[in-house]
Amino acid sequence: MEKKRRFALIGTGNRGTTMWGTDLLAGWAEHVEMVAIVDRNRLRAERARAMIGAEAPIYTELDPMLQAVRPDLVIVCTPDDSHDDIVVRSLESGADVITEKPMTTTVDKIRRIIEAEKRTGRRVDVSFNYRYAPTAARIKTLLDAGEIGRVTSVDFHWYLDTSHGADYFRRWHAYAKHSGSLFVHKATHHFDLLNWYLGSDPQAVTAFADLKMYGRKGPFRGSRCRHCAHMKECDFYFDLEADPFLGALYEEPSKLDGYFRDGCVFREDIDIPDTMVAAIRYGNGVHVSYSLNTFQPIEGHHIAFNGTGGRIELRQYESQPWEVPAQDTILVVRNFQKGAQAVERIAVPHASGGHYGGDDRMRNMIFKPGMSDPLAQRAGSRAGAVSVLCGIAALSSARAGTTVRLAELMPELLGEQLL
Ligand SMILES: NC(=O)c1ccc[n+]([C@@H]2O[C@H](COP(=O)([O-])OP(=O)(O)OC[C@H]3O[C@@H](n4cnc5c(N)ncnc54)[C@H](O)[C@@H]3O)[C@@H](O)[C@H]2O)c1
């Protein structure tokens, strides 16, 4: 009989409690057993444990848990800048690790993780669930089959709406020291998708980024939405109590650590951009034009692969003020063809579960024994590192007004790449 993997959950915010708590135990309990919960905030951990319906002991520090429980696997769901320390100490205790994205936030932290993984011989998985969405898998299959010849360039534009986009400006994500900026925190998903789709590493990045809506650009400000004097006039007013799940997990526990879930999006000290573009050149010569916007009336993305034989195009709808079918349509348009033959429309129904079924498929890949991986969807520390490095390069390019070559940031990972 298969031995269950004994895992410890670190960080019981929304992501830890749902994806790696309730949902993991609901669907994969024959493969895993939760043996400990760690969160600095004991009250949030207690709330999370009740929501998950687990009986695992709660710790507020990592090391005593590692020593007492000796889990086989540690799942890291804390803020991004704390991942490295937890990953390294867990590997050193003999556990494998799954870390939420981004793997980490700085070059030194990437080095620490990769060095510890090599030294301990344990494994780090990075939670790149977007690779597993059925539409992404279909696009990868089309590209690998050479349906549009050799890819020469990619147009990739990601839109966050005034709800989800604003959410990154309410709390720790809004500070580069905690999230690496959205070029790292959010775009790690997008850069990873590009790296995986193209089967190549980014070489050089030129980026621009500005703050145009949130932070000091706002018309007025408070500290948090609850009791704010501007709640009636503010379009970004967020009523935490209207969501019983978030209210229970964050409001009362905030009394222990002052971590408010509804921080003002117009706080003066917000230091990350909300509007970003990047031009990226890949090792295989592909050019990418990328953008990320955070206060749109729509949510979703547009991606187009331009090849020597045609073009693959997708507009994925996640939220918009009009009805769309519960499916994606991939357009494959071929050069020098006419009429119906020129375009193939491939419908991919949305799968249930988070990230259009990506979350479930990723958990299957990681936890079900004997899974094959023909599309190389399972992502480890190298994938985590390269996508973070691309974001670090983009932020540094935008700040310095220069082109940044990734090999200069981390030659040991990317080697000598010449343009
Ligand atoms: N893959 C995805 O699609 C996806 C989606 C959402 C979030 N995430 C990632 O999941 C992680 C968590 O996100 P969240 O929204 O749940 O964050 P959160 O801020 O809501 O929760 C983080 C929790 O970690 C605890 N914590 C902080 N530092 C700690 C430490 N050193 N040791 C133990 N506990 C600590 C906090 O008290 C809090 O309860 C982030 O890295 C985020 O990028 C990934």
Side-chain angles (χ1 to χ4, degrees), residues 7 14-29 32 34 51-52 353-354 359-360 363:
F7 81 95
N14 190 357
R15 188 68 179 164
T17 301
T18 56
M19 168 81 183
W20 301 109
T22 319
D23 298 351
L24 181 58
L25 293 184
W28 289 264
V32 294
M34 184 184 274
M51 288 167 177
I52 295 167
D359 287 352
D360 286 359
R363 281 178 295 226

Side-chain angles (χ1 to χ4, degrees), residues 10-17 38-41 44 60 62 76-80 82-83 86 100-102 127-130 171-173 185-186 189 250 257 259 261 355 359 362:
I10 323 296
T12 54
N14 190 357
R15 188 68 179 164
T17 301
V38 182
D39 197 295
R40 280 187 178 164
N41 188 315
R44 184 168 308 110
T60 53
L62 181 72
V76 185
C77 304
T78 56
D80 308 343
S82 63
H83 291 177
I86 299 170
E100 263 306 344
K101 51 54 53 176
S127 175
F128 282 136
N129 36 7
Y130 277 98
R171 44 198 182 125
W172 52 264
H173 313 70
H185 174 82
K186 188 69 190 167
H189 271 311
Y250 290 94
D257 57 11
Y259 170 31
R261 185 65 185 71
H355 299 90
D359 287 352
M362 183 175 71

Side-chain angles (χ1 to χ4, degrees), residues 356-413:
Y356 291 134
D359 287 352
D360 286 359
R361 284 163 175 73
M362 183 175 71
R363 281 178 295 226
N364 280 343
M365 180 69 82
I366 295 176
F367 295 113
K368 282 197 170 173
M371 292 290 290
S372 67
D373 188 9
L375 297 178
Q377 284 164 303
R378 192 161 175 182
S381 60
R382 188 178 190 283
V386 178
S387 63
V388 166
L389 215 50
C390 192
I392 292 171
L395 185 65
S396 131
S397 164
R399 282 181 171 165
T402 55
T403 295
V404 176
R405 287 173 177 72
L406 275 75
E408 285 166 13
L409 296 177
M410 226 179 141
E412 71 273 35
L413 190 70

